[in-house]
Amino acid sequence: MSLAATNAAPAAEEPGKRLAGLLLELARCVDPTVAATLPSRLEADPRLEAMRGVLFEREQAALTRLQRKFDDPHEFAAAVSAVLPAAFALAAQHGDTLGPAIAPSFERAAQASIRKDPQTMVDILYPVMGPAIRKSIAEALEGTLQSLNQSLKHSLSWRGLKWRMEAWRSGAPFSDVVLSHTTVFRVEHLFLIHRNTSLLLSHVASEDATTRDPQVVSAMLSAIQDFVRDSFDESAEGGLSGRSIDSLRLGDLLLWCEEGPSAVLTAVIHGSPPAALRTRMAETLAAIHDESRTALDAFEGETAPFDNAEQRLRSCLLSQASSDERRRVSPLMWAVPLALLLALGWWIGQRVVEGQRVDAYVAALREEPGIVVMGAERQDGKWLVSGLRDPLAMQPEALLAKTDLPPERIAERWEAYQALHPAIVLKRLRATLNPPPTVSLTLQGGGIRGDGSAPPHWIDKAKAFVQALPAGAPKVDLADLKDVQDPDYIRLRDAIEAHVIPFEHNAPRPAADQSGTLDTVAAQVRELVREARSLGFSVRVTIVGHADASGKDASNLALSLGRAEVVRSMLRARGVDPALLAVRGAGPLEPLKSSASATASANANADELSLNRRVSFAVSTSD
Amino acid sequence: MLQKKICLLGAFGVGKTSLVRRYVSSVFSDAYLTTVGVKVEKKLMTVGTQEIALILWDIAGEDEVSAVRVSYLRGAAAFLLVVDGTRPETLETAESIQARVFKEVGRIPFFVLLNKADLEHEWTIPAARMDALASAGWTFRRTSAKTGDGVEAAFEDLAALFAK
């Protein structure tokens, strides 16, 4: 406008010129730039200046005052400070532009303050930071403990190994994998409750979850919160400042409360939710606060502004069904302990059975005469049975074979000793004496009794043996044994003893015709020796030389011995073992009984003398 | 849905709980009154086309030993003070409660329910006292838990206060 007026001025007439001048003056007053570029008419006409002084005196004074206020920094600051709080309040009402505008300045101010003296900021933040840190640590610990518990519980199972594989494949922490598999829970209800009025802002429930009237329930929840806070929290100064119930557990039912400045989000959960749910709740509540701060602050019972909060709450209606795997118990999980149990049972059973068998074996050993068991114990995985054993006692191996014990499980150590048990003594008698079949040796009343018949030499031997038994040995009664000789032996003995080799007077050699008799004797002696040997004893044939009573006794004795020696050598020449042949000279001392001596006739005497010139044979047994 | 928190207050034994019992939908047992000290009930009202849910906090009666928990009053939009017409001391308790509520939550509307209207001939509260209180802004209503007189009307008036 002022420019249009300037352009229009030269074209105008005299009155117009004046009007233009006036307008220019006005323009100068309004716009200082015009005043700088255009010459003032006041210089041309001083009356105008005077008139202005008269007309605008008051305004000029006010303007000057204002000018001073603006120009003087102190005055200007004082003026602004008076309106600043109101200005901030107004600006906050008009929208959210103030915050972002002053945020950088505040940040710089805070930084400067901290640089200058951190203690100030620490003092300011202390009441906030303490509880915040405590809460954060508590929650972190709770989460860690939860995952630690789960991890421990599952780290050793078959499933645990599988999850470890999964964690390794996916790169996720093992505890997260465990949680994702094991946590079984369901968020059934979510109540968004206005903190100040305890009125229900929004409520969502999972399908088929039932509850009483949610509005009433939410109020009652708040009442109980207040009740607990008032009753137990000494720090509560009534109302909103105190701490609140964080969680409530009732059996399987869990109540989690997440508190915001204006609203509380309460979740009713079945089972054990993961800590992640808590985080989700906190985020949701923060988002609702962000979105509806004004509505929350202004809330007076109308819930319509919170209709869209329901959508947010639904994001917290999490649930984790138990996996099928959880219900279906892996057969391997049962098989492994079952197999271990079976193996253990089998092993114990084996031990018990083996112990019983060893006991039975030892008992059988103890029953056996001639065996004294001193000990039976496990040693190096085997059973060591030790004691004393008579060599004639039963072989332990024979007894062992009757049991079901494997021989390699048993080691034995036996010291030899001589037992006096009747059965062993009997065995010893049998072993030593080799009784003929006609003899029966039996145990009778703690002693041994011999019955039947035996050759006399055996009986003599047996009696000698019994005599030599140690004191305390069982009594051996051989009195009933009949002395019976072998018939062949008797026949041969009698036949040999019946032979007489006659001699001529004073002749040391038998007559030549006696050769046949000697052959017979030699054959019979050989047979006798064989026979006796087969019966188990040896025989001795004594060749007895005789002489008649005529002549001197000394020469007769020598003659008789000479005759015996001759016969011995003749028998030897006929194949008889000379060791078995003994010689004896009887002289005239053993005359054959003759009836002639009684008659005392000369002929008879001659016959008698002739009869006594002879060699006879005597058979004896020897050992 | 418009909801309003209403507190039901009064001295011990004035009949608060029996007064509202048949007009509200009750979820919790009376045991809460003695344990937690409050029992929440709901009364659905329709004013014109608007539905209003009155969330009634039936707060345990006050006596010499137990004072009303002020934290239960927080956020209340109105309250009902119940007085037993036959026991003048319950009016004094009501006065003390009213003063405390105003201090705690501000000047919110309230009605005084003079209960046991069926026993009006036994009332011992001096009329002058009531007039004085009425002039101080108290609104008295006669109710009877026994006959149910005046209870529904009191709720209706209460709802009308909040209807837009």
Side-chain angles (χ1 to χ4, degrees), chain A residues 184-242:
Chain A
V184 179
F185 72 96
R186 188 167 83 137
V187 179
E188 304 224 308
H189 295 278
L190 282 160
F191 296 92
L192 183 67
I193 303 168
H194 188 244
R195 232 181 130 167
N196 190 44
T197 60
S198 310
L199 292 175
L200 184 68
L201 296 173
S202 186
H203 167 247
V204 291
S206 62
E207 285 170 44
D208 72 284
T210 55
T211 182
R212 314 271 176 87
D213 192 322
Q215 289 172 331
V216 178
V217 169
S218 76
M220 204 68 205
L221 271 174
S222 308
I224 291 171
Q225 283 258 21
D226 286 340
F227 171 74
V228 173
R229 193 174 11 225
D230 288 357
S231 307
F232 304 114
D233 190 354
E234 67 284 356
S235 73
E237 305 264 312
L240 303 170
S241 59

Side-chain angles (χ1 to χ4, degrees), chain A residues 487-571:
Chain A
D488 285 339
Y489 173 81
I490 292 167
R491 178 181 55 79
L492 285 166
R493 183 191 66 188
D494 292 351
I496 291 167
E497 286 184 345
H499 289 292
V500 173
I501 308 294
F503 283 79
E504 291 300 317
H505 176 70
N506 211 19
R509 297 186 67 85
D513 60 344
Q514 290 302 311
S515 179
T517 310
L518 280 169
D519 286 346
T520 310
V521 170
Q524 284 173 338
V525 168
R526 285 202 304 273
E527 197 184 342
L528 180 74
V529 168
R530 265 203 310 280
E531 183 68 27
R533 208 166 269 162
S534 77
L535 290 170
F537 60 93
S538 53
V539 291
R540 180 174 289 264
V541 177
T542 308
I543 305 163
V544 186
H546 301 272
D548 57 23
S550 61
K552 287 183 197 160
D553 282 354
S555 63
N556 281 338
L557 195 63
L559 180 65
S560 66
L561 189 61
R563 285 172 176 158
E565 287 286 1
V566 168
V567 171
R568 184 187 177 199
S569 64
M570 292 176 88
L571 287 176

